[in-house]
């Protein structure tokens, strides 16, 4: 197994414990801060609306309609606040006008009240007021019961004041919820990278993994579905917070590229699930035909997964990274790159955490790990190539494992990065080294295609011999 060593990071356990404790403290702070901010924001908005309403002619010191409207209008995002303000003003105005029109010709009675409520609800449906549809009948009943034009004018005026206060508070207090979405994306990529790293560690042992352990890997890949849904929800909130928010005018769209990046991670998680399924099926084969029971093949697959784990981590860090200027991007690489192992299989340096960047940009790190994964994959293809007649039981799984690894590596290619993220990560790229690596890749590509072509040709010849024997 010499020459197939998988990278081991010193002190990784201690670092993981310290990182988990820091994350727990961060979660406690974030749970406490939004509650306090929420209370303060609503309180200040209501008081501001009340003070504005006091400036109106004939205003009463006990009138709380304006602060009530402000509380109902103010939403989590500026877009929802504007929509709620418009709908509430339209609903109140429609209800007041309906009540004034009815009270001018019909006296108050129970059946008129019922007709007024039904008509007000119909008007609300026609205006598509959604959750604010009840504002129409409520305003109509209140004005119809007092039968006063002054009350009608006051309700519309104070509703406008409350809506204006809510809009002002939305402009001042509505936050950009992009960072929580980036944190969720980063956490998803770290979970995926950790799982790939654990699979690599398990396959690097001298003994083949037990079927129970391989099944646990499969279950964990399936559990990523719930994490992806949580990330998608956080991303939807981020996109809503950016819409119509004036803070985004100071810089480019802070949520740009996150949706495409999450879609890529979702496809990569699917590739991980089917790869884990193939590994689990292979672990259940109790014979030498199983790919994961061959020490050399298992070690080479572990080396590929170790590089893909580092690539997924780099991809997530690229999605998390803030837009940087050219001077800052020059320091956006990852520090702590280890020395290379024998045969080019091991010794890849660990990816540093957020903020631990060196001289190379993130796309350089991502491309480097993917290139190493491609080299290991080519060697793995040579090991997995076999005669189906000699190993009929495990032969399909060999092709499945190779196909899933190739698909996972292809999903993470920098060429598929969203445009803004790709431009961000490629700042200060060292073109000579990049060109040299491209030339090496082009030189190896024909051999890789030749290996796959030979494998397919051998499979077709073997299948033809089997069919000929059956006819005979």
């Amino acid at each position: 197994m010499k020459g197939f060593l998988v990278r081991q990071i010193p002190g990784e356990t201690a670092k993981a414990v310290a990182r988990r404790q820091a994350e727990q403290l961060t979660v406690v702070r974030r749970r406490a801060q939004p509650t306090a901010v929420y209370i303060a924001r609503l309180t200040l908005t209501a008081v501001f609306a009340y003070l504005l309403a006091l400036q109106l002619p004939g205003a009463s010191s006990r009138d709380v309609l304006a602060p009530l409207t402000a509380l109902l209008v103010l939403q989590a995002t500026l877009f929802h606040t504007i929509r709620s303000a418009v709908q509430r003003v339209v609903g109140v105005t429609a209800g007041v006008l309906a009540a004034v029109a009815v009270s001018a010709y019909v006296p108050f009675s129970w059946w008129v009240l019922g007709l007024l409520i039904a008509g007000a609800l119909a008007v609300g449906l026609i205006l598509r007021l959604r959750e604010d549809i009840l504002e129409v009948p409520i305003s109509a009943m209140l004005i119809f019961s007092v039968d006063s034009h002054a009350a009608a004018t006051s309700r519309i005026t104070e509703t406008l004041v409350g809506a204006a206060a809510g809009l002002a508070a939305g402009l001042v207090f509505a936050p950009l919820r992009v960072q929580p979405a980036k944190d969720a994306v980063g956490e998803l990529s770290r979970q995926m990278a950790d799982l790939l790293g654990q699979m690599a560690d398990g396959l690097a042992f001298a003994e083949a993994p037990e079927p129970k352990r391989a099944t646990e890997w499969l279950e964990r890949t399936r559990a990523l579905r719930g994490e992806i849904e949580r990330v998608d929800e956080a991303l939807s909130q981020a996109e809503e917070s950016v819409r119509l928010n004036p803070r985004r005018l100071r810089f480019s769209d802070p949520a740009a590229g996150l949706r495409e990046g999450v879609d890529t991670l979702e496809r990569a998680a699917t590739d991980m699930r089917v790869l884990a399924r193939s590994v689990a099926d292979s672990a259940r084969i109790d014979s030498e035909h199983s790919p994961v029971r061959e020490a050399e093949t298992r070690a080479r697959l572990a080396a590929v997964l170790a590089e893909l784990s580092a690539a997924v981590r780099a991809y997530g860090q690229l999605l998390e990274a803030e837009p940087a200027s050219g001077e800052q991007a020059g320091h956006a690489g990852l520090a702590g790159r280890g020395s290379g192992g024998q045969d080019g299989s091991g010794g890849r340096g660990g990816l540093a955490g957020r903020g631990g960047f060196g001289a190379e940009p993130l796309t350089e790190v991502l491309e480097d790990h993917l290139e190493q994964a491609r080299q290991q994959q080519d060697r793995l293809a040579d090991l997995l190539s076999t005669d189906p007649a000699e190993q009929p039981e495990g032969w399909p799984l060999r092709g499945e494992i190779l196909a899933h690894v190739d698909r996972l590596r292809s999903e993470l290619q920098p060429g598929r990065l969203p445009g803004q993220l790709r431009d961000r990560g490629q700042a200060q790229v060292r073109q000579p080294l990049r060109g040299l690596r491209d030339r090496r890749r082009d030189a190896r590509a024909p051999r890789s295609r030749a290996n796959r072509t030979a494998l397919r040709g051998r499979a077709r010849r073997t299948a033809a011999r089997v069919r000929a024997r059956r006819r005979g």
Side-chain angles (χ1 to χ4, degrees):
M1 301 255 307
K2 185 176 181 181
F4 295 87
L5 298 177
V6 179
R7 177 185 71 249
Q8 299 292 336
I9 302 177
E12 186 65 25
T13 302
K15 293 180 181 179
V17 173
R19 183 168 58 248
R20 181 168 300 177
Q21 291 177 348
E23 289 176 353
Q24 290 175 349
L25 292 175
T26 303
V27 169
V28 171
R29 296 192 193 101
R30 287 180 179 175
R31 286 178 177 174
Q33 291 175 357
T35 302
V37 172
Y38 174 77
I39 294 175
R41 183 174 58 146
L42 290 181
T43 302
L44 292 176
T45 302
V47 172
F48 176 63
Y50 175 77
L51 295 177
L52 281 181
L54 286 180
Q55 308 304 317
L56 297 175
S60 172
S61 61
R62 293 182 178 271
D63 202 340
V64 294
L65 180 58
L68 174 62
T69 302
L71 289 177
L72 296 174
V73 163
L74 189 59
Q75 301 293 322
T77 65
L78 181 59
F79 174 75
H80 286 153
T81 298
I82 295 175
R83 187 178 67 179
S84 178
V86 172
Q87 290 180 347
R88 194 164 297 275
V89 169
V90 171
V92 169
T93 303
V96 169
L97 293 178
V100 170
V102 172
S103 62
Y105 300 99
V106 184
F108 185 89
S109 63
W110 65 268
W111 61 272
V112 175
L113 179 63
L115 291 177
L116 179 62
I117 294 174
L121 288 172
V123 171
L125 290 174
I126 294 174
L127 296 176
R128 298 181 180 180
L129 297 180
R130 300 179 182 178
E131 62 270 13
D132 293 319
I133 188 174
L134 293 181
E135 281 296 328
V136 184
I138 289 174
S139 299
M141 286 188 294
L142 292 176
I143 301 304
F144 189 50
S145 63
V146 298
D147 191 15
S148 171
H149 289 280
T153 304
S154 175
R155 181 164 181 80
I156 294 178
T157 304
E158 293 189 20
T159 299
L160 290 172
V161 171
L167 287 175
L171 289 171
V172 175
F173 297 117
L176 291 175
R177 298 177 178 268
V178 178
Q179 190 57 46
K182 289 185 176 182
D183 294 340
V185 171
E187 179 62 25
L188 172 63
S189 65
R190 285 189 288 272
Q191 290 185 19
M192 295 171 61
D194 291 342
L195 180 53
L196 284 172
Q198 292 176 14
M199 292 174 63
D201 294 340
L203 292 170
F205 288 144
E207 298 293 333
E210 295 293 331
K212 182 179 179 180
R213 188 175 186 185
T215 303
E216 291 177 355
W217 295 338
L218 177 59
E219 294 299 327
R220 290 186 58 186
T221 58
R222 290 171 176 170
L224 290 175
R225 180 69 251 174
E227 185 69 17
I228 291 173
E229 292 177 355
R230 185 182 70 85
V231 172
D232 186 74
E233 181 180 355
L235 184 55
S236 298
Q237 294 178 1
E239 292 171 342
E240 287 292 336
S241 69
V242 170
R243 296 177 65 182
L244 304 181
N245 198 316
R247 299 183 183 182
R248 63 172 294 184
L249 299 178
R250 294 179 299 176
F251 37 78
S252 59
D253 188 354
L258 284 181
R259 175 64 65 183
E260 293 84 353
V262 170
D263 291 341
T264 297
L265 290 178
E266 183 176 4
R267 292 191 296 269
T270 301
D271 297 333
M272 288 175 55
R273 184 171 67 251
V274 292
L275 174 60
R277 178 59 183 268
S278 298
V279 173
D281 291 342
S282 180
R284 296 189 188 100
I285 300 178
D286 191 13
S287 69
E288 67 277 4
H289 295 170
S290 171
V292 299
R293 295 192 181 278
E294 297 176 359
E296 191 176 5
T297 301
R298 188 171 64 252
R300 187 64 70 182
L301 177 59
V304 176
L305 294 182
E307 294 297 338
L308 290 177
S309 171
V312 170
R313 196 179 300 274
Y315 190 92
Q317 289 179 332
L318 186 57
L319 293 177
E320 281 189 281
E322 294 290 342
S325 63
E327 181 180 356
Q328 294 171 335
H331 302 284
L334 295 182
R337 306 187 61 80
S339 57
Q342 296 180 6
D343 200 21
S345 59
R348 301 299 311 161
L351 288 170
R354 294 178 63 185
F357 300 126
E360 290 183 300
L362 284 172
T363 47
E364 282 287 297
V365 177
L366 177 60
E367 289 176 349
D368 197 10
H369 284 295
L370 291 177
E371 172 64 17
Q372 291 296 323
R374 190 195 64 80
Q375 295 178 15
Q376 300 294 340
Q377 180 184 326
D378 289 344
R379 299 185 180 98
L380 177 64
D382 295 335
L383 295 174
L384 289 175
S385 61
T386 185
D387 192 340
E390 297 176 357
Q391 295 183 336
E393 190 175 4
W395 178 72
L397 292 174
R398 295 172 178 269
E400 290 179 9
I401 291 175
L402 189 60
H404 299 328
V405 167
D406 182 73
R407 189 181 299 113
L408 177 57
R409 182 184 59 83
S410 300
E411 286 291 348
L412 301 173
Q413 291 295 334
R416 295 192 175 188
L417 280 171
Q420 294 190 16
L421 294 180
R422 184 166 58 249
D423 296 338
R424 178 194 313 169
Q426 288 177 344
Q428 302 290 331
V429 172
R430 296 175 296 178
Q431 296 294 340
L433 293 180
R434 190 175 179 186
L436 178 61
R437 185 174 60 254
D438 291 341
R439 289 193 294 272
R440 291 201 304 264
R441 182 184 305 144
D442 294 340
R444 293 188 182 99
R447 185 185 65 176
S448 174
R449 290 193 293 270
N451 286 338
R452 289 193 289 269
T453 302
L455 184 60
R456 295 191 190 101
R458 182 183 300 176
R460 285 194 295 268
R461 290 193 297 271
T462 301
R465 287 198 301 269
V466 171
R467 287 194 296 269
R469 291 172 185 171
R470 289 179 179 176
R471 295 193 190 99

